[in-house]
Amino acid sequence: MNWRERLLASVGPGLLGGITFHQWIHLLRQEHFAVDPARLPRALSITIQSLKNSAFHWYEQHHYGSLVEEVSIEPPLFILGHWRNGTTHLHQLLAQDRRFAFPNGYQAAFPHTFLTTEAMDSRMISHFVPKRRPMDNVEWTLASPQEDEFALCISCFKSPCMAWIFPRRRKHWGRYLSFRNASQNEIAEWRAAFELFLKKLTWKYRRPLVLKSPPHTCRVRLLLEMFPQAKFVHIHRDPYAVFQSTQKMLQTMLHWQGLQRPDLHELDDWILEQYREMYEVFFEERALIPPGCYHEMGFENLEKNPLGEMERLYETLDLPDFRAAQADVQRYTASVRNYRKNRFPALQPEIKARISSMWRTSFKEWDYA
């Protein structure tokens, strides 16, 4: 690791960098202050940052609150798919079209304050952010498209990604994957936080939003209740490759984000169960999407023929003329042409059999061997 990675992995606030002090104390009480001694430097970093966030949150509420409240959110385009399915690549491709907007890394990290602080803080923070993502070596900046899920971790804690921070309660946080086992009050709190974040983005950009968060894959019903005219694109990938890549991602996130040491013996079960739940719900709710508002693509096809697959996506969903964005998309694909994905050893027969059995619907649905 370079110095930036070592710094953030040891003392960086991670996903909770944008939390307010009041929220932080509430969360610690909820978790019975269960922070492992080795992770106390990270907890201290979060505490210090939360004090600054609280001051700017108060200012942002008073300065922008009434302006944001009046905003109407245009129907978003949601990118669906499990972690490591290729959702980031697809998000980057769609972000090349300047007729759309998206949450960037800074905004997802500081949902309470980005309208006030992004211009002055993003340049300074960029000096401490690694140039590439630690789990896959993808180029990474604070201006890059980012998952709105991270903003929800901070805004309301209603996210399965909170298990990366407190892994000993992963089953508790896991109920916010699909919200099927969450209370109506919890769902209402999540919806309010999500709506506020999207209103702030819409006020800033005045353009339709392209949103990518893997948990949205099993929230189609909730998303349609909020945005009946939303459009969806789902990207799938060879489940064996997804499993191995998710292992790498989860190990990295637990190291970079955690306030507790995880039990790595549970890692395979975590991935297998989460994927199965996600796609059981997805296959049930997919039919709720109105005709003409859903498109599906394979990551392998997108890799081989990005322009053709993107043009097909635009046509299916009746998006603005692809030709206006084609040159920018082509420039981006040329810039990542030499990117090399992680290589992993062959899966052991036992785990391969478990993947095949537990994820058999996906294998059958998309004809993966």
Side-chain angles (χ1 to χ4, degrees):
M1 292 194 294
N2 61 37
W3 71 269
R4 291 182 176 89
E5 292 171 332
R6 289 195 297 272
L7 178 68
L8 293 185
S10 58
V11 300
L15 286 179
L16 298 185
I19 200 171
T20 65
F21 183 73
H22 173 78
Q23 286 181 299
W24 176 224
I25 296 302
H26 174 77
L27 181 61
L28 285 174
R29 285 174 176 162
Q30 179 180 310
E31 295 300 311
H32 305 290
F33 294 87
V35 177
D36 289 351
R39 307 299 170 91
L40 286 174
R42 172 166 292 132
L44 177 60
S45 177
I46 294 169
T47 303
I48 294 170
Q49 181 65 39
S50 73
L51 294 169
K52 175 184 175 182
N53 295 334
S54 293
F56 281 107
H57 182 216
W58 177 88
Y59 174 84
E60 187 149 312
Q61 282 182 310
H62 284 75
H63 191 73
Y64 292 102
S66 60
L67 298 173
V68 168
E69 185 59 35
E70 297 174 358
V71 168
S72 295
I73 304 166
E74 294 190 50
L77 170 58
F78 289 100
I79 298 171
L80 309 180
H82 191 272
W83 290 273
R84 318 308 302 153
N85 267 23
T87 54
T88 295
H89 184 46
L90 180 54
H91 203 194
Q92 288 276 14
L93 288 166
L94 283 163
Q96 305 310 308
D97 189 334
R98 300 171 199 181
R99 294 167 294 186
F100 298 125
F102 52 84
N104 65 30
Y106 186 92
Q107 294 155 1
F110 296 94
H112 294 312
T113 63
F114 71 84
L115 293 177
T116 304
T117 61
E118 183 174 10
M120 62 181 177
D121 278 0
S122 59
R123 185 175 298 179
M124 182 272 292
I125 294 174
S126 292
H127 290 300
F128 299 96
V129 175
K131 305 304 180 185
R132 295 180 180 274
R133 296 198 309 187
M135 79 284 279
D136 57 12
N137 212 33
V138 167
E139 287 192 11
W140 185 38
T141 74
L142 288 178
S144 299
Q146 187 55 276
E147 298 179 19
D148 50 273
E149 190 72 17
F150 296 160
L152 295 171
C153 284
I154 297 162
S155 298
C156 64
F157 310 141
K158 305 297 185 289
S159 170
C161 298
M162 291 295 294
W164 302 347
I165 302 166
F166 296 104
R168 290 202 285 269
R169 286 226 299 162
R170 69 175 178 88
K171 292 188 182 298
H172 165 80
W173 300 113
R175 71 187 189 198
Y176 303 127
L177 180 66
S178 69
F179 283 90
R180 290 201 164 187
N181 294 317
S183 70
Q184 289 302 307
N185 285 341
E186 289 173 320
I187 293 172
E189 188 178 349
W190 174 83
R191 287 179 59 153
F194 191 30
E195 183 178 20
L196 177 58
F197 183 57
L198 300 191
K199 281 190 171 189
K200 291 172 79 168
L201 290 170
T202 301
W203 183 86
K204 181 177 178 66
Y205 293 116
R206 309 292 177 174
R207 283 176 276 162
L209 299 169
V210 178
L211 303 172
K212 185 273 290 194
S213 287
H216 290 337
T217 308
C218 51
R219 299 170 181 164
V220 170
R221 185 187 299 273
L222 282 175
L223 296 175
L224 284 172
E225 288 174 359
M226 295 181 70
F227 309 106
Q229 295 178 301
K231 296 184 179 182
F232 301 84
V233 52
H234 175 261
I235 184 168
H236 56 79
R237 186 183 181 189
D238 176 3
Y240 293 131
V242 170
F243 179 84
Q244 290 183 295
S245 194
T246 305
Q247 274 187 320
K248 170 70 172 175
M249 180 205 75
L250 199 50
Q251 289 167 351
T252 303
M253 289 297 105
L254 289 166
H255 180 58
W256 280 59
Q257 308 291 344
L259 290 170
Q260 299 169 343
R261 292 188 180 275
D263 182 354
L264 295 180
H265 295 97
E266 294 184 351
L267 205 62
D268 289 355
D269 290 340
W270 186 345
I271 298 166
L272 289 166
E273 292 164 5
Q274 188 165 248
Y275 182 105
R276 181 171 63 179
E277 179 187 352
M278 178 180 287
Y279 278 102
E280 281 179 354
V281 176
F282 171 72
F283 289 133
E284 180 181 330
E285 295 187 350
R286 179 176 55 176
L288 299 173
I289 303 173
C293 294
Y294 177 75
H295 180 70
E296 193 162 87
M297 65 168 63
F299 173 69
E300 298 81 3
N301 293 333
L302 184 62
E303 269 195 315
K304 292 175 185 175
N305 182 19
L307 290 178
E309 288 296 310
M310 291 300 290
E311 186 172 12
R312 194 171 298 115
L313 164 63
Y314 273 64
E315 290 174 355
T316 303
L317 296 183
D318 194 26
L319 300 178
D321 190 348
F322 178 65
R323 288 174 295 182
Q326 185 170 345
D328 289 327
V329 171
Q330 200 159 8
R331 269 192 293 272
Y332 171 74
T333 57
S335 73
V336 298
R337 189 167 291 144
N338 295 324
Y339 171 73
R340 295 290 178 266
K341 299 191 294 291
N342 288 329
R343 294 181 177 273
F344 301 103
L347 287 165
Q348 294 297 311
E350 181 182 354
I351 189 61
K352 194 169 183 179
R354 290 186 69 195
I355 297 168
S356 177
S357 173
M358 293 184 70
W359 298 359
R360 58 183 176 273
T361 308
S362 295
F363 281 95
K364 183 178 179 181
E365 176 77 14
W366 298 303
D367 198 25
Y368 287 110

